[in-house]
mmCIF file of all heavy atoms in Angstrom:
data_model
loop_
_atom_site.group_PDB
_atom_site.id
_atom_site.type_symbol
_atom_site.label_atom_id
_atom_site.label_comp_id
_atom_site.label_asym_id
_atom_site.label_seq_id
_atom_site.Cartn_x
_atom_site.Cartn_y
_atom_site.Cartn_z
ATOM 1 N N LYS A 529 79.928 100.294 40.987
ATOM 2 C CA LYS A 529 79.522 101.293 41.967
ATOM 3 C C LYS A 529 79.705 100.692 43.308
ATOM 4 O O LYS A 529 79.327 99.588 43.542
ATOM 5 C CB LYS A 529 78.056 101.809 41.816
ATOM 6 C CG LYS A 529 77.912 102.704 40.524
ATOM 7 C CD LYS A 529 76.731 103.704 40.694
ATOM 8 C CE LYS A 529 76.895 104.713 39.610
ATOM 9 N NZ LYS A 529 75.831 105.817 39.869
ATOM 10 N N LYS A 530 80.318 101.576 44.217
ATOM 11 C CA LYS A 530 80.466 101.096 45.541
ATOM 12 C C LYS A 530 79.131 100.729 46.151
ATOM 13 O O LYS A 530 78.204 101.610 46.147
ATOM 14 C CB LYS A 530 81.263 102.089 46.320
ATOM 15 C CG LYS A 530 82.701 101.822 46.354
ATOM 16 C CD LYS A 530 83.326 102.706 47.455
ATOM 17 C CE LYS A 530 83.252 104.149 47.097
ATOM 18 N NZ LYS A 530 84.047 105.076 48.066
ATOM 19 N N ALA A 531 79.022 99.606 46.795
ATOM 20 C CA ALA A 531 77.841 99.231 47.434
ATOM 21 C C ALA A 531 77.754 99.966 48.767
ATOM 22 O O ALA A 531 78.800 100.267 49.322
ATOM 23 C CB ALA A 531 77.807 97.700 47.708
ATOM 24 N N THR A 532 76.565 100.319 49.208
ATOM 25 C CA THR A 532 76.357 100.955 50.510
ATOM 26 C C THR A 532 75.701 99.998 51.505
ATOM 27 O O THR A 532 75.332 98.898 51.071
ATOM 28 C CB THR A 532 75.475 102.238 50.466
ATOM 29 O OG1 THR A 532 74.171 101.759 50.192
ATOM 30 C CG2 THR A 532 75.987 103.078 49.331
ATOM 31 N N ILE A 533 75.606 100.415 52.734
ATOM 32 C CA ILE A 533 75.001 99.620 53.705
ATOM 33 C C ILE A 533 73.571 99.244 53.309
ATOM 34 O O ILE A 533 72.985 98.165 53.691
ATOM 35 C CB ILE A 533 75.015 100.301 55.075
ATOM 36 C CG1 ILE A 533 74.897 99.201 56.194
ATOM 37 C CG2 ILE A 533 74.008 101.383 55.162
ATOM 38 C CD1 ILE A 533 75.122 99.896 57.605
ATOM 39 N N TYR A 534 72.927 100.161 52.503
ATOM 40 C CA TYR A 534 71.570 99.891 52.174
ATOM 41 C C TYR A 534 71.413 98.739 51.235
ATOM 42 O O TYR A 534 70.590 97.897 51.473
ATOM 43 C CB TYR A 534 71.115 101.213 51.391
ATOM 44 C CG TYR A 534 69.670 101.226 51.190
ATOM 45 C CD1 TYR A 534 68.736 101.671 52.220
ATOM 46 C CD2 TYR A 534 69.115 100.845 49.995
ATOM 47 C CE1 TYR A 534 67.429 101.700 52.047
ATOM 48 C CE2 TYR A 534 67.765 100.913 49.846
ATOM 49 C CZ TYR A 534 66.858 101.250 50.823
ATOM 50 O OH TYR A 534 65.562 101.358 50.584
ATOM 51 N N GLU A 535 72.312 98.649 50.298
ATOM 52 C CA GLU A 535 72.253 97.496 49.269
ATOM 53 C C GLU A 535 72.426 96.188 50.002
ATOM 54 O O GLU A 535 71.840 95.172 49.780
ATOM 55 C CB GLU A 535 73.364 97.658 48.207
ATOM 56 C CG GLU A 535 73.021 98.429 47.009
ATOM 57 C CD GLU A 535 73.199 99.889 47.279
ATOM 58 O OE1 GLU A 535 74.322 100.319 47.581
ATOM 59 O OE2 GLU A 535 72.207 100.635 47.169
ATOM 60 N N VAL A 536 73.402 96.265 50.993
ATOM 61 C CA VAL A 536 73.714 94.987 51.714
ATOM 62 C C VAL A 536 72.390 94.574 52.515
ATOM 63 O O VAL A 536 72.067 93.473 52.480
ATOM 64 C CB VAL A 536 74.794 95.223 52.652
ATOM 65 C CG1 VAL A 536 75.146 93.945 53.507
ATOM 66 C CG2 VAL A 536 76.154 95.524 51.898
ATOM 67 N N ALA A 537 71.848 95.558 53.142
ATOM 68 C CA ALA A 537 70.714 95.315 53.944
ATOM 69 C C ALA A 537 69.564 94.635 53.065
ATOM 70 O O ALA A 537 68.930 93.559 53.391
ATOM 71 C CB ALA A 537 70.117 96.533 54.630
ATOM 72 N N ARG A 538 69.378 95.245 51.875
ATOM 73 C CA ARG A 538 68.207 94.728 51.075
ATOM 74 C C ARG A 538 68.582 93.361 50.556
ATOM 75 O O ARG A 538 67.751 92.429 50.631
ATOM 76 C CB ARG A 538 68.052 95.691 49.864
ATOM 77 C CG ARG A 538 66.694 95.528 49.220
ATOM 78 C CD ARG A 538 66.630 96.497 48.035
ATOM 79 N NE ARG A 538 67.944 96.565 47.381
ATOM 80 C CZ ARG A 538 68.187 97.498 46.346
ATOM 81 N NH1 ARG A 538 67.289 98.290 46.075
ATOM 82 N NH2 ARG A 538 69.361 97.487 45.770
ATOM 83 N N GLU A 539 69.784 93.193 50.128
ATOM 84 C CA GLU A 539 70.213 91.928 49.576
ATOM 85 C C GLU A 539 70.166 90.715 50.629
ATOM 86 O O GLU A 539 69.814 89.581 50.302
ATOM 87 C CB GLU A 539 71.655 92.024 48.983
ATOM 88 C CG GLU A 539 72.191 90.793 48.300
ATOM 89 C CD GLU A 539 71.665 90.726 46.903
ATOM 90 O OE1 GLU A 539 71.103 91.779 46.383
ATOM 91 O OE2 GLU A 539 71.924 89.687 46.157
ATOM 92 N N ALA A 540 70.414 91.226 51.855
ATOM 93 C CA ALA A 540 70.400 90.161 52.876
ATOM 94 C C ALA A 540 69.073 90.022 53.610
ATOM 95 O O ALA A 540 68.855 89.179 54.428
ATOM 96 C CB ALA A 540 71.468 90.458 53.945
#
Side-chain angles (χ1 to χ4, degrees):
Chain A
K529 288 209 165 186
K530 267 192 294 184
T532 71
I533 199 171
Y534 191 85
E535 273 84 58
V536 176
R538 201 181 36 190
E539 187 81 10

